Amino acid sequence: MTTTVVISGTGIYQPEHIITNAELVESYNAYADLQNAKYASDIANGSREALTHSNVAFIEKASGIKQRYVLEKEGVLDPTRMYPRFTPRGNDELSLMAEIAAKAAEQALAAAGKTGADVDMVLCSSANMQRAYPAMAIEIQQAIGAGGFGFDMNVACSSATFGIEQAVNAIKAGTAKCVLMVNPEITSAHLEWRDRDCHFIFGDVCTAVVVEAASTATSVDQWEVLGTKLATQFSNNIRNNFGFMNSAEDTEPDARDKKFQQEGRKVFKEVVPMAASHIETHLASLDRAPQNVRRYWLHQANLGMNQLVLKKLVDREVGNDIAPLILDEYANTASAGSVIAFHAHRSDLQAGDVGVICSFGAGYSIGSVVVKKL
Ligand code: COA
């Protein structure tokens, strides 16, 4: 007999600071002016190009993003700095990633009617890890008082959906009874805020998901996982060369390639058809049609991209009721985006309704989770 696996709780930690597009653009433009003044003679003799101003209208039209939450705001907006200012913590203090993960976890566990002691597997699945080891997941395991084991995993923007599949498989295999999967995304530290092409893209957040067998679940809000499907295909169009060999290679730690870089247009063009056909194939394998899906909780990178994926799937324009948007408020939060959408936009669904959580991002990586409200 196969085990019925459910998502029995979700949680979110939302940082207190907001950066609006207007604030972001003002700071970028001040930075550009400072740079242009600094290199005025190079610009005059043609050996360097002047930086051009960013603007709010472009950002909103190109992406749909209106603001983002960040863990630290002053450093990001300081035109002489342009990255967050985090105070280093000692080895005996909880790390920042573990701290926000524990906060999101607390909410998810409460929603599931569980405590940390019920958890026997912790997955910290995120696009960036703040250190090599010990695993953040093990620190989180200790912080919430969980037993069992934990490990970190990284599949960039698809870290959450890939994490949910690992959780589901562990429950089915009997290697875990209750899995906490967290996605602490401190994207403000991997974003190049000095690059006009991408300075508006990301925001910080942490999401948490509790996965367990239906037989142990007591939550009033349970979502049966009907199936999961993962796919990857190599691409350099979203890339970050930061890594432990940087100093051994005598490369500049602050070089442009050590932070998030992308060919946005190419990503848009290539990933839309991949995501649409991935979801369609997954649904077909479960004898479901895209038109009958009540809600799509899609990856939140670009409004136009989501609209096109949906148009390919259901052959019509759909609104927020079918595919809720959260990136206007949160921006792109890497792996957490589709989970935020699921967390914030599911309470109106009825028993029997089917939905799809789907992420797409660097790798390329695509993950879909088909769920049914019990
Ligand atoms: N302000 C004003 N103009 C800007 C600007 C800014 N902040 N950033 C770029 N521009 C300019 C460009 O220089 C370019 O000018 P040009 O036409 O004179 O060369 C023009 O606007 C268009 O730039 P482009 O980068 O082609 O914009 P776009 O329409 O492709 O939108 C993205 C950019 C990033 C929003 C969009 O490509 C995207 O979201 N792609 C998908 C990305 C994705 O899903 N990534 C996954 C990440 S995890």
Side-chain angles (χ1 to χ4, degrees):
M1 210 179 73
T2 51
T3 312
T4 301
V5 179
V6 299
I7 293 174
S8 56
T10 56
I12 178 168
Y13 168 76
Q14 182 179 300
E16 62 180 291
H17 306 290
I18 291 174
I19 298 181
T20 64
N21 284 345
E23 290 173 301
L24 182 80
V25 165
E26 189 188 338
S27 126
Y28 177 85
N29 291 348
Y31 161 77
D33 292 344
L34 285 175
Q35 288 295 104
N36 290 342
K38 184 173 169 187
Y39 296 106
S41 56
D42 291 348
I43 293 166
N45 71 26
S47 63
R48 191 182 186 103
E49 272 191 38
L51 294 178
T52 323
H53 279 188
S54 179
N55 76 73
V56 171
F58 169 84
I59 294 170
E60 293 187 3
K61 186 163 172 287
S63 69
I65 296 165
K66 297 200 168 127
Q67 61 164 52
R68 68 284 299 141
Y69 295 97
V70 288
L71 286 158
E72 199 281 329
K73 176 171 173 174
E74 304 310 323
V76 170
L77 292 184
D78 177 350
T80 64
R81 182 176 171 92
M82 307 292 279
Y83 42 89
R85 193 184 302 279
F86 296 137
T87 311
R89 295 182 179 188
N91 288 355
D92 53 351
E93 293 176 281
L94 197 63
S95 67
L96 187 55
M97 265 183 94
E99 180 184 304
I100 65 173
K103 286 179 178 163
E106 198 179 316
Q107 221 186 75
L109 289 167
K114 296 277 188 267
T115 68
D118 295 310
V119 173
D120 58 357
M121 176 174 171
V122 177
L123 286 175
C124 178
S125 198
S126 188
N128 293 283
M129 294 296 165
Q130 89 174 75
R131 62 167 181 261
Y133 42 80
M136 253 62 67
I138 304 175
E139 193 185 3
I140 297 160
Q141 175 194 17
Q142 173 173 275
I144 65 165
F149 62 96
F151 60 89
D152 295 345
M153 51 181 282
N154 176 355
V155 203
C157 286
S158 283
S159 296
T161 51
F162 277 53
I164 291 172
E165 178 169 294
Q166 306 324 303
V168 169
N169 289 347
I171 303 289
K172 284 189 173 159
T175 50
K177 288 193 169 62
C178 181
V179 183
L180 172 74
M181 198 278 305
V182 288
N183 320 104
E185 294 288 9
I186 307 179
T187 60
S188 58
H190 91 150
L191 176 57
E192 182 48 89
W193 299 91
R194 294 169 295 192
D195 183 341
R196 185 181 78 128
D197 285 350
C198 68
H199 75 125
F200 53 89
I201 288 182
F202 287 103
D204 297 334
V205 81
C206 182
T207 45
V209 177
V210 176
V211 179
E212 59 181 315
S215 56
T216 63
T218 56
S219 167
V220 291
D221 182 36
Q222 296 179 31
W223 294 79
E224 179 182 350
V225 179
L226 298 178
T228 57
K229 182 176 167 67
L230 313 181
T232 53
Q233 181 184 306
F234 187 70
S235 167
N236 279 317
N237 288 334
I238 312 169
R239 190 164 174 123
N240 182 341
N241 285 335
F242 171 78
F244 80 101
M245 288 182 9
N246 291 160
S247 52
E249 291 170 338
D250 296 314
T251 52
E252 268 296 312
D254 201 30
R256 180 65 192 90
D257 72 320
K258 306 299 187 302
K259 290 205 169 76
F260 168 86
Q261 282 183 299
Q262 75 169 349
E263 295 279 348
R265 278 272 158 98
K266 288 190 187 156
V267 174
F268 194 112
K269 255 179 76 180
E270 291 171 10
V271 170
V272 166
M274 280 171 68
S277 84
H278 179 96
I279 294 172
E280 194 168 18
T281 312
H282 189 191
L283 286 168
S285 73
L286 298 165
D287 291 325
R288 306 267 168 181
Q291 292 78 5
N292 299 335
V293 169
R294 178 65 188 84
R295 189 150 293 161
Y296 288 92
W297 300 282
L298 295 186
H299 181 55
Q300 304 281 322
N302 184 293
L303 166 62
M305 205 165 167
N306 285 10
Q307 286 171 339
L308 263 180
V309 169
L310 264 304
K311 186 134 200 308
K312 280 185 186 292
L313 275 172
V314 299
D315 203 23
R316 66 186 168 93
E317 305 282 338
V318 300
N320 249 356
D321 180 49
I322 300 291
L325 192 79
I326 57 96
L327 101 162
D328 51 346
E329 180 183 350
Y330 288 86
N332 181 341
T333 50
S335 73
S338 55
V339 180
I340 301 174
F342 176 64
H343 175 79
H345 296 282
R346 68 171 193 260
S347 59
D348 56 321
L349 267 54
Q350 309 295 315
D353 281 345
V354 168
V356 177
I357 303 168
C358 182
S359 66
F360 23 93
Y364 295 130
S365 55
I366 303 185
S368 53
V369 181
V370 180
V371 292
K372 184 174 82 175
K373 168 107 178 130
L374 292 182

